[in-house]
Amino acid sequence: DMKVTQMPRYLIKRMGENVLLECGQDMSHETMYWYRQDPGLGLQLIYISYDVDSNSEGDIPKGYRVSRKKREHFSLILDSAKTNQTSVYFCASSFGSQNTLYFGAGTRLSVL
Amino acid sequence: GDSVTQTEGLVTLTEGLPVMLNCTYQTAYSTFLFWYVQHLNEAPKLLLKSSTDNKRTEHQGFHATLHKSSSSFHLQKSSAQLSDSALYYCALRNMGYKLTFGTGTSLLVDP
């Protein structure tokens, strides 16, 4: 069964703290994504990774960085989190050119 | 740049009535369009996709036809069900496998 796993599911942080969101997939997909979801704005692409250590900025990369050291893991890091980074974060993966995205269940992050 | 427009933020329907959710797009590249559905507290998942002009694509009772002449990919269903209540996203494939999503349309089906 194809699966994308996100940890943690819920997270509360204080402004200025560092945040690590982790994502794993068991499908050996080359391409992985981080999106954030906000009401009225839809899903916005933060970063895309084409494979290990092959990452590219999405539409809203400011304030975020990513790490992909193994094909099955893709991390999103917020250095010194800001209140406007409160959101639901979705990780996704896809295979080749098919572009069918398989999403994780999401991480709801609150930055206070 | 590439963009996807979903004009309705919320669509409210009575069960049994037809559904039509609008999606238009702008792109300078090859066209691959998607509809994703997200039920409450769940992850988005693919509903249907198409890259073929003027060909109807169907899945789970929903259908859409890509019209490149009008840059549209509207989602339709002949009869809404309560279980269709969800958030629907239209998305466009960009260069480099990036997907650009619209702002989403919430569909609420009343009994």
Side-chain angles (χ1 to χ4, degrees):
Chain A
D1 192 23
M2 297 179 285
K3 198 169 184 180
V4 177
T5 304
Q6 290 187 238
M7 296 294 291
R9 292 294 313 282
Y10 301 92
L11 189 60
I12 299 175
K13 288 287 191 178
R14 296 192 181 278
M15 190 170 59
E17 291 184 328
N18 297 330
V19 178
L20 173 65
L21 304 184
E22 304 205 78
C23 175
Q25 49 101 356
D26 60 2
M27 300 167 278
S28 295
H29 286 172
E30 305 103 329
T31 310
M32 296 187 74
Y33 310 76
W34 277 106
Y35 284 88
R36 64 176 282 178
Q37 181 181 45
D38 300 287
L41 297 179
L43 290 161
Q44 297 175 274
L45 180 64
I46 306 171
Y47 268 93
I48 182 172
S49 174
Y50 296 102
D51 212 326
V52 171
D53 285 330
S54 179
N55 306 319
S56 179
E57 293 182 345
D59 299 319
I60 54 164
K62 187 177 180 181
Y64 304 93
R65 61 184 175 94
V66 292
S67 175
R68 193 164 179 206
K69 298 301 182 185
K70 294 182 179 180
R71 177 172 280 192
E72 61 270 22
H73 289 126
F74 190 34
S75 301
L76 180 69
I77 301 117
L78 289 66
D79 294 315
S80 188
K82 300 173 180 53
T83 55
N84 62 7
Q85 292 178 309
T86 292
S87 186
V88 181
Y89 291 86
F90 283 99
C91 175
S93 70
S94 69
F95 174 71
S97 61
Q98 294 180 21
N99 265 137
T100 297
L101 265 60
Y102 296 88
F103 283 87
T107 295
R108 187 174 295 274
L109 172 67
S110 295
V111 182
L112 306 177
Chain B
D2 295 345
S3 65
V4 176
T5 301
Q6 295 180 250
T7 53
E8 310 108 341
L10 173 66
V11 172
T12 304
L13 288 172
T14 301
E15 189 178 17
L17 291 180
V19 178
M20 181 162 172
L21 306 184
N22 292 318
C23 174
T24 57
Y25 64 90
Q26 285 187 314
T27 182
Y29 305 106
S30 62
T31 311
F32 212 127
L33 271 292
F34 304 79
W35 278 99
Y36 280 80
V37 58
Q38 183 181 18
H39 288 93
L40 190 62
N41 295 323
E42 295 184 6
K45 58 184 178 183
L46 180 69
L47 180 58
L48 46 80
K49 62 183 179 182
S50 180
S51 61
T52 306
D53 198 11
N54 297 317
K55 182 180 177 181
R56 176 171 161 145
T57 299
E58 298 190 39
H59 187 61
Q60 296 182 340
F62 287 90
H63 63 92
T65 302
L66 178 59
H67 292 296
K68 294 185 180 181
S69 61
S70 58
S71 300
S72 68
F73 191 56
H74 306 318
L75 182 67
Q76 299 182 70
K77 188 178 184 184
S78 58
S79 176
Q81 298 178 295
L82 295 177
S83 58
D84 294 330
S85 294
L87 179 58
Y88 292 82
Y89 285 109
C90 184
L92 167 70
R93 172 185 164 173
N94 299 2
M95 288 286 287
Y97 298 172
K98 295 181 181 180
L99 258 68
T100 295
F101 287 82
T103 52
T105 298
S106 291
L107 175 64
L108 181 61
V109 181
D110 294 327

